[in-house]
Amino acid sequence: MRMGPAELVQAAAMARRFYLEGKSKIQIAEEFGVSRFKVARVLETALERDLVRIEIRVPAELDAERSDALRARYGLRHAVVVESPAEEQEDAPDPENLGEVAADLLGELVAEGDVLGLAWGRSTIHMAAALDRLPPCTVVQLTGVYDAGTAERGSVEAVRRAAQVSGGEAHPIYAPMLLPDPATAAALREQTGIARAFEYFDKVTVAAVSIGSWEPGISTVHDMLSDEERAHYASLGVAAEMSAHLFDSDGRRVGRDLGERCITVEADRLRRIPEVVAIAGGQRKAAAIGAVLRSGLVTSLVTDTAAADYLLTESAAGVRPALERADPDGE
């Protein structure tokens, strides 16, 4: 029905009280001498007749609709999807703006007194460089470095940067991620500085990790192995890598012997960390991201629209809600 001028004026006044002044429907009803049910009908009509328009606005680089859909599909605690670059290069690593958004997300998630864990990865290094706020917290490195000779430009520097921003302690790991054999790795884990960092692993409350797909330039571990070793792990069906842990397309861990040669946080310790934020995007990593989400090791994700579109359309078979922290291997 058409609203007369008196009804229009009253509806506008009630809408102003409710949406702009924050008054309750009961307060509005008392002011206008009507029932709260009448107020509810008027407010509903005001929306239907376009007298009131509600806009939900977020920064242009954030895709709120995809973010919410991705969070619901995988049972994530937080999902943040950013716009992919207009001209994404096929051989490009994660879009750098993922690190900036992840830095802002950590500023929200980390509380005073927390222990923040950072794993090696280009995206986590970009994130650390973009950090401009963190409450006082301890920062610990969760993996060794890709190359001990680049430590100053890699994860060690990322840990130092985060600790500097927060004003907390830093516990870096001055050791390569991958060692020649399990005996060498075991000996390094016993060294004082590395052992001290490992002692903090069970205290980590928020962690930031990267994800790689099993191909050159997209997985750090892949690039560190010999051709023969790559072929061996490929034969096991590896589809993704995270912190030197390998996963097949269903999120099950494969090639566990590799972990014995690595300086990295163990998978069972990662699963016990309350908040694990993965930072990864791009078309080339989309399937790998899906595999890691099914592993139950990740609770939150920062990604881009290119990867999100794949994740939202891939088969639902094997998808496990991340908040359940379910292990596909049943362990």
Side-chain angles (χ1 to χ4, degrees):
M1 294 179 61
R2 180 179 177 182
M3 297 177 70
E7 291 175 312
L8 285 170
V9 170
Q10 184 185 67
M14 288 184 175
R16 178 175 293 278
R17 304 290 194 282
F18 185 74
Y19 292 109
L20 299 183
E21 299 176 10
K23 291 187 177 181
S24 69
K25 294 175 183 177
I26 293 177
Q27 290 174 314
I28 297 171
E30 291 176 351
E31 178 182 348
F32 286 87
V34 297
S35 70
R36 61 186 177 89
F37 301 105
K38 167 72 172 178
V39 173
R41 286 196 299 272
V42 170
L43 293 174
E44 183 178 349
T45 301
L47 285 171
E48 292 174 351
R49 301 297 177 85
D50 210 24
L51 187 62
V52 173
R53 295 182 182 180
I54 298 176
E55 292 185 347
I56 301 174
R57 304 181 66 180
V58 296
E61 68 173 354
L62 300 181
D63 192 311
E65 185 175 351
R66 284 185 175 92
S67 297
D68 188 57
L70 199 60
R71 178 199 56 76
R73 181 176 179 83
Y74 288 90
L76 294 162
R77 184 172 289 117
H78 303 283
V80 182
V81 178
V82 305
E83 289 291 338
S84 300
E87 296 182 2
E88 181 182 359
Q89 299 178 357
E90 289 188 4
D91 59 346
D94 299 305
E96 290 193 17
N97 60 344
L98 293 187
E100 297 172 3
V101 173
D104 286 340
L105 179 60
L106 279 193
E108 292 182 58
L109 300 181
V110 177
E112 183 173 351
D114 275 348
V115 177
L116 172 62
L118 299 181
W120 198 98
R122 297 181 185 91
S123 55
T124 52
I125 291 171
H126 289 152
M127 178 207 67
L131 282 172
D132 59 10
R133 64 184 177 100
L134 273 181
C137 65
T138 299
V139 186
V140 60
Q141 193 169 323
L142 296 178
T143 64
V145 297
Y146 173 57
D147 181 346
T150 63
E152 292 300 318
R153 302 188 301 275
S155 47
V156 169
E157 180 58 30
V159 169
R160 287 175 173 169
R161 166 66 182 167
Q164 180 183 30
V165 173
S166 73
E169 295 181 3
H171 294 276
I173 293 178
Y174 296 97
M177 180 188 294
L178 180 66
L179 281 306
D181 53 69
T184 304
L188 274 179
R189 294 189 198 104
E190 297 298 322
Q191 289 189 359
T192 303
I194 298 174
R196 186 178 299 116
F198 268 65
E199 289 174 359
Y200 274 91
F201 285 1
D202 287 328
K203 302 174 184 178
V204 174
T205 50
V206 180
V209 300
S210 297
I211 295 173
S213 56
W214 198 245
E215 54 184 310
I218 309 296
S219 165
T220 300
V221 173
H222 179 282
D223 293 345
M224 288 191 289
L225 297 174
S226 66
D227 291 341
E228 182 179 354
E229 290 171 323
R230 291 170 191 152
H232 166 66
Y233 290 117
S235 71
L236 300 179
V238 59
E241 176 262 319
M242 179 181 71
S243 301
H245 300 294
L246 310 181
F247 306 87
D248 66 14
S249 59
D250 293 324
R252 295 184 174 87
R253 291 178 59 212
V254 296
R256 299 190 182 205
D257 60 305
L258 182 65
E260 297 176 5
R261 297 169 50 195
C262 292
I263 302 296
T264 186
V265 61
E266 299 94 327
D268 59 342
R269 279 177 159 171
L270 264 179
R271 200 180 302 278
R272 292 196 296 268
I273 296 174
E275 183 75 80
V276 179
V277 181
I279 313 162
Q283 294 180 3
R284 291 180 67 182
K285 282 191 177 183
I289 295 169
V292 173
L293 290 181
R294 283 186 281 275
S295 75
L297 293 173
V298 170
T299 61
S300 297
L301 175 67
V302 178
T303 190
D304 67 344
T305 52
D309 285 343
Y310 173 89
L311 294 168
L312 291 170
T313 57
E314 70 169 346
S315 171
V319 172
R320 293 175 179 268
L323 288 183
E324 293 180 1
R325 310 305 293 273
D327 186 344
D329 294 315
E331 297 181 0

